[in-house]
């Protein structure tokens, strides 16, 4: 099946041997309710601060900082974050005539999540021809249908080089504050390297998944073995920096906590390298068919100009529920939506896939997810489930409770201690915490207004991107920030970058020193999000706890902290129409 040419299992339910007539829907729903019920009473939100000894879990293992003198100068745009969000912002601003642009990043290079996530097996789940931006401009043809993390990082470097974006970039530099100077009509950005950079505009594009999440597990610091987070992979310990086998793990017992999208990718290479691998599971993922394989180098040669935008639109239309005459991507994401398959049957097929793949019936049962499809982020992999057939791999299911504690020797679950030499945290990233905790710095706008105070109880934006009291500032929206969301995050990053660049160019074009958001327009935008904030609540409340449903308790989240109600393509059509209208309604300008 995985021939790399396309998704062949179009009738996934039938091919998995599921007979719709024999599915007991009510029994399954009852099982779903039970799986949720015994998870919601555990505290799933406690994380530890990565300071002191624990700072090692966030440190950069990839490149050493280079000493340099502090920078003090004035540019047109400061971009906080040099991942794809930052790069696309810089490119869009350049296209509208802004030249002096400084990217600032804690990392040692461009790439953002792809700089950090270099764990073995890391790749992108969105097909490369859709995911990698501006392929028609760079002329790059991805090697495989789904690109590896290394290929994506190289591509980010290619984009940065082609647009000369790194000449002013400051790497291994963490922003410590942003302050609006009303007199000068500028932002002042300060950093941990002593820099003071004035700029007319600022974009904060620091990513959704920028803080590694280490859960507050009792005994966390007692474990004497080696530990690291998947986004700070220790190749010096494991080997395999060149993409080869993890020779450093020979003879070692390795544990991995987590079974999400990252774990699914890292478990197979870990099992190949370690003497023994123990996978600690709290919630099983839905693991669909990946079907990766090489792309024909001539795959795009005969396509008409504009093919990538067409593909991106086709993908985003389908995954936001709009059936299309043709499915250009034909993979596990689009197949589910395009076939408009019943959620329950799809889940039955995924569970049948576990039975068909995993030999040991007890392990297979534990790996079956009992919740609705899209409660958690779907995963696609053709080796993850298979790995549990290896004699050197053990699944330890924690029955939804998480691991009990760490000891000097290893991990305890159900009163049993699993001795380990090394423990890998595939525990994801902080999500849904306060905005200025995510950024790591506060933003001080007009009249001393602090963003931490303004956003203390709820987000408040226009277009999910700008906020009153913070002139000439853009913030790339993360989840629930009153903007549109889609699986294809880079599409939203690029559209937001384009929108910000137009607002900045429009401000300059009017001869204004700054824009700010009109109070009424902002309230109206927030009200639209609030009005629809509970549209999806019934579904989310039926799900096992996870980051999409505020770990099982939606009341933890303010109503305004929601996505915009429009589907992604319609949302960006709305912004495009707003730009085309020309008068920039909802913004006020200081001459
Ligand atoms: P994640 O989805 O947050 O998964 C974290 C895992 O750790 C979950 O299995 C979680 O269990 C488990 N966990 C957390 N605390 C635990 C505890 N105390 N005891 C036991 N288990 C614990 O993180 P991720 O897999 O790194 O993925 C993060 C995001 O990155 C994804 O949602 C995705 O958007 C992105 N990603 C994308 C790709 C791609 O292909 N484009 C690849 C990898 C990641 P529960 O499920 O019970 O919470």
């Amino acid at each position: 099946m995985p021939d790399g040419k396309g998704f062949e299992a179009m009738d996934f339910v039938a091919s998995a041997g599921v007979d719709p007539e024999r599915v007991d829907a009510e029994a399954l729903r009852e099982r779903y309710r039970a799986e949720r019920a015994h998870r919601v009473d555990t505290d799933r939100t406690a994380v530890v601060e990565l300071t002191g000894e624990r700072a090692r879990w966030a440190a950069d293992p990839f490149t050493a900082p280079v000493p340099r003198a502090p920078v003090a100068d004035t540019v047109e745009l400061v971009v906080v974050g040099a991942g794809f969000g930052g790069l696309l912002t810089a490119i869009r601003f350049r296209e509208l005539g802004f030249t002096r642009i400084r990217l600032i990043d804690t990392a040692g290079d461009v790439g953002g999540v792809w700089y950090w996530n270099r764990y073995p097996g890391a790749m992108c789940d969105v097909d490369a021809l859709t995911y990698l931006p501006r392929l028609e401009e760079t002329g790059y043809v991805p090697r495989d249908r789904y690109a590896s993390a290394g290929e994506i990082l190289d591509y980010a470097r290619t984009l940065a080089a082609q647009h000369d974006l790194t000449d002013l970039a400051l790497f291994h530099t963490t922003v410590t504050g942003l302050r609006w100077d009303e007199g000068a009509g500028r932002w002042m950005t300060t950093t941990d390297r002593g820099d003071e950079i004035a700029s007319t505009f600022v974009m904060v594009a620091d990513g959704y998944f920028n803080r590694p999440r280490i859960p507050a597990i009792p005994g966390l610091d007692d474990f004497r073995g080696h530990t690291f987070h998947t986004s700070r992979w220790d190749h010096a310990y494991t080997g395999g920096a060149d993409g080869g086998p993890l020779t450093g793990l020979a003879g070692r017992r390795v544990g991995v906590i987590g079974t999400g999208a990252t774990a699914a990718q890292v478990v197979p290479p870990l099992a190949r390298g370690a003497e023994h691998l123990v996978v600690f599971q709290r919630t099983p993922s839905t693991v669909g068919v990946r079907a990766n394989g090489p792309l024909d180098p001539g795959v795009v040669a005969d396509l008409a100009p504009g093919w990538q935008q067409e593909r991106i639109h086709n993908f985003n239309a389908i995954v936001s529920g709009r059936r299309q005459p043709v499915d250009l991507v034909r993979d596990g994401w689009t197949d589910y939506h395009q076939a408009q398959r019943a959620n329950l049957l799809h889940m039955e097929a995924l569970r049948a896939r576990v039975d068909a793949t995993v030999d040991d019936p007890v392990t297979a049962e534990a790996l079956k997810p009992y919740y609705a499809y899209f409660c958690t982020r779907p995963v696609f992999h053709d080796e993850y489930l298979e790995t549990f057939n290896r004699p050197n791999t053990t699944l330890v299911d924690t029955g939804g409770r998480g691991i009990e504690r760490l000891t000097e020797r290893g991990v305890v679950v159900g009163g049993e201690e699993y001795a380990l030499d090394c423990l890998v945290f595939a525990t994801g990233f902080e999500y849904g915490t306060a905005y200025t905790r995510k950024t790591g710095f506060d933003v001080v706008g007009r009249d001393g207004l602090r963003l931490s105070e303004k956003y203390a109880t709820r987000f408040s934006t226009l277009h999910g991107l700008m906020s009153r009291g913070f002139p000439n500032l853009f913030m790339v929206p993360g989840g629930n920030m009153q903007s549109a969301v889609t699986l294809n995050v880079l599409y939203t990053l690029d559209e937001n970058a384009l929108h910000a660049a137009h607002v900045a160019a429009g401000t300059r074009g009017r001869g204004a020193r700054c824009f700010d958001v009109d109070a009424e327009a902002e309230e109206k935008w927030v009200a639209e999000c609030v009005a629809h904030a509970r549209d999806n609540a019934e579904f989310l409340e039926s799900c096992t706890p996870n980051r999409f449903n505020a770990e099982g308790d939606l009341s933890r989240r303010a109503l305004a902290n929601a996505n915009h109600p429009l589907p992604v393509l319609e949302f960006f059509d709305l912004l495009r129409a707003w730009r085309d209208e020309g008068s920039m309604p909802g913004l006020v300008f200081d001459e």
Side-chain angles (χ1 to χ4, degrees):
M1 191 176 0
D3 64 353
K5 291 193 190 118
F7 195 74
E8 305 301 338
M10 284 305 277
D11 197 347
F12 185 48
V13 171
S15 66
V18 174
D19 176 358
E21 298 297 319
R22 301 187 60 174
V23 172
D24 184 344
E26 196 34 55
L28 282 172
R29 288 199 193 95
E30 188 47 46
R31 175 79 191 265
Y32 289 9
R33 280 191 284 272
E35 291 293 332
R36 174 187 158 86
H38 80 261
R39 281 176 171 83
V40 281
D41 61 345
T42 49
D43 178 12
R44 302 166 46 94
T45 55
V47 295
V48 298
E49 297 300 324
L50 302 186
T51 52
E53 268 286 289
R54 292 167 174 169
R56 71 186 191 282
W57 287 320
D60 183 350
F62 309 120
T63 37
V66 180
R68 65 168 175 81
V71 172
D73 69 355
T74 302
V75 295
E76 291 166 271
L77 171 71
V78 160
V79 187
V80 183
F84 277 109
L87 294 176
L88 291 166
T89 298
I91 292 170
R92 292 295 191 177
F93 272 71
R94 277 268 163 85
E95 285 173 347
L96 294 185
F98 296 86
T99 48
R100 283 183 61 76
I101 298 174
R102 259 197 202 286
L103 294 160
I104 305 180
D105 205 302
T106 304
D109 199 350
V110 299
V113 290
W114 302 108
Y115 175 86
W116 294 109
N117 287 277
R118 305 183 188 197
Y119 58 85
M123 61 160 61
C124 182
D125 269 358
V126 175
D127 96 296
L129 292 173
T130 306
Y131 185 79
L132 294 175
R134 305 173 84 92
L135 285 175
E136 290 189 62
E137 170 194 294
T138 58
Y140 183 75
V141 180
R143 292 195 285 272
D144 297 311
R145 289 192 74 207
Y146 301 91
S148 70
E151 183 177 8
I152 300 170
L153 178 56
D154 283 345
Y155 188 73
R157 290 175 175 141
T158 302
L159 263 189
Q162 286 198 356
H163 290 268
D164 287 330
L165 299 180
T166 49
D167 50 347
L168 294 180
L170 300 174
F171 293 119
H172 281 136
T173 302
T174 299
V175 171
T176 50
L178 278 181
R179 179 178 288 275
W180 174 249
D181 179 343
E182 190 71 63
R186 293 210 175 102
W187 284 99
M188 179 58 74
T189 303
T190 49
T191 77
D192 66 346
R193 306 282 290 255
D195 309 309
E196 293 188 350
I197 300 151
S199 66
T200 316
F201 297 98
V202 173
M203 167 66 94
V204 182
D206 61 346
Y208 306 166
F209 298 127
N210 66 346
R211 287 180 75 105
R213 179 181 182 282
I214 303 288
I217 300 166
L220 187 61
D221 301 312
D222 296 345
F223 180 58
R224 293 284 135 242
H226 199 62
T227 53
F228 52 91
H229 186 271
T230 45
S231 69
R232 303 292 188 275
W233 196 266
D234 189 348
H235 289 110
Y237 179 84
T238 66
D242 56 357
L246 306 182
T247 48
L249 297 182
R252 297 196 197 276
R253 289 182 60 85
V254 178
V256 55
I257 304 179
T259 50
T262 297
Q265 295 179 343
V266 81
V267 157
L270 275 179
R272 286 193 291 270
E275 179 184 299
H276 199 93
L277 178 69
V278 188
V279 180
F280 297 96
Q281 170 179 275
R282 191 165 66 178
T283 310
S285 282
T286 57
V287 186
V289 174
R290 171 72 307 160
N292 198 10
L295 279 177
D296 176 344
V299 64
V300 298
D302 298 330
L303 299 179
W307 67 263
Q308 194 184 23
Q309 211 53 20
E310 191 191 343
R311 187 180 184 91
I312 290 170
H313 277 241
N314 181 260
F315 179 82
N316 283 287
I318 292 174
V319 298
S320 53
R322 245 207 265 159
R323 203 175 185 147
Q324 296 295 291
V326 58
D327 174 358
L328 294 173
V329 173
R330 291 175 65 235
D331 72 356
W333 294 115
T334 57
D335 166 61
Y336 171 74
H337 291 92
Q338 185 75 346
Q340 308 222 329
R341 192 172 298 125
N343 193 312
L344 210 63
L345 293 182
H346 191 73
M347 286 301 294
E348 278 290 271
L350 287 167
R351 288 186 283 264
R353 182 171 189 246
V354 179
D355 274 332
T357 313
V358 178
D359 300 336
D360 172 48
V362 177
T363 305
E365 196 50 38
L367 284 166
K368 288 183 198 165
Y370 282 95
Y371 47 75
Y373 199 49
F374 273 104
C375 272
T376 58
R377 179 198 185 279
V379 168
F380 303 91
H381 213 282
D382 294 331
E383 287 175 83
Y384 174 69
L385 295 172
E386 287 77 353
T387 300
F388 294 96
N389 293 333
R390 295 177 65 106
N392 77 333
T393 302
T394 307
L395 178 74
V396 175
D397 183 46
T398 65
R401 317 290 302 178
I403 62 179
E404 276 162 44
R405 61 196 159 88
L406 297 190
T407 64
E408 213 171 283
R409 283 161 37 90
V411 168
V412 177
V413 174
E416 191 172 335
E417 185 185 62
Y418 297 84
L420 301 168
D421 299 303
C422 169
L423 183 60
V424 178
F425 291 102
T427 43
F429 302 87
E430 284 191 33
Y431 186 85
T433 46
Y435 183 79
T436 47
R437 176 178 169 90
K438 180 178 82 80
T439 55
F441 56 85
D442 210 344
V443 184
V444 184
R446 283 198 150 139
D447 303 320
L449 177 64
R450 288 180 169 270
L451 196 62
S452 56
E453 286 164 14
K454 180 166 180 183
Y455 280 7
T457 52
R458 59 168 212 178
F459 293 128
S460 184
T461 73
L462 179 69
H463 302 168
L465 194 61
M466 302 164 276
S467 193
R468 180 173 171 77
F470 301 91
N472 286 4
L473 176 73
F474 306 97
M475 291 167 274
V476 166
N480 300 318
M481 282 186 70
Q482 305 167 357
S483 184
V485 291
T486 173
L487 302 163
N488 180 202
V489 174
L490 264 59
Y491 169 64
T492 65
L493 292 176
D494 194 30
E495 287 288 344
N496 280 308
L498 175 72
H499 196 61
H502 271 269
V503 169
T507 303
R508 197 173 58 175
R510 284 163 187 256
R513 61 203 277 278
C514 67
F515 74 82
D516 202 345
V517 178
D518 171 61
E520 218 174 289
E522 185 166 304
E523 268 315 302
K524 191 162 169 268
W525 189 266
V526 174
E528 276 166 31
C529 297
V530 169
H532 293 276
R534 293 198 59 82
D535 284 0
N536 206 21
E538 197 182 336
F539 175 77
L540 291 175
E541 281 166 352
S542 76
C543 290
T544 46
N546 68 84
R547 66 185 168 88
F548 299 129
N549 65 4
E551 298 299 336
D553 181 1
L554 285 180
S555 71
R556 282 201 190 103
R557 198 158 70 204
L559 278 180
N561 293 3
N563 300 319
H564 192 275
L566 282 179
V568 64
L569 293 177
E570 285 85 344
F571 178 87
F572 288 116
D573 282 348
L574 178 82
L575 295 198
R576 186 168 304 106
W578 181 90
R579 293 195 296 272
D580 290 348
E581 191 269 339
S583 73
M584 300 207 274
L587 296 183
V588 287
F589 298 91
D590 270 22
E591 305 305 327

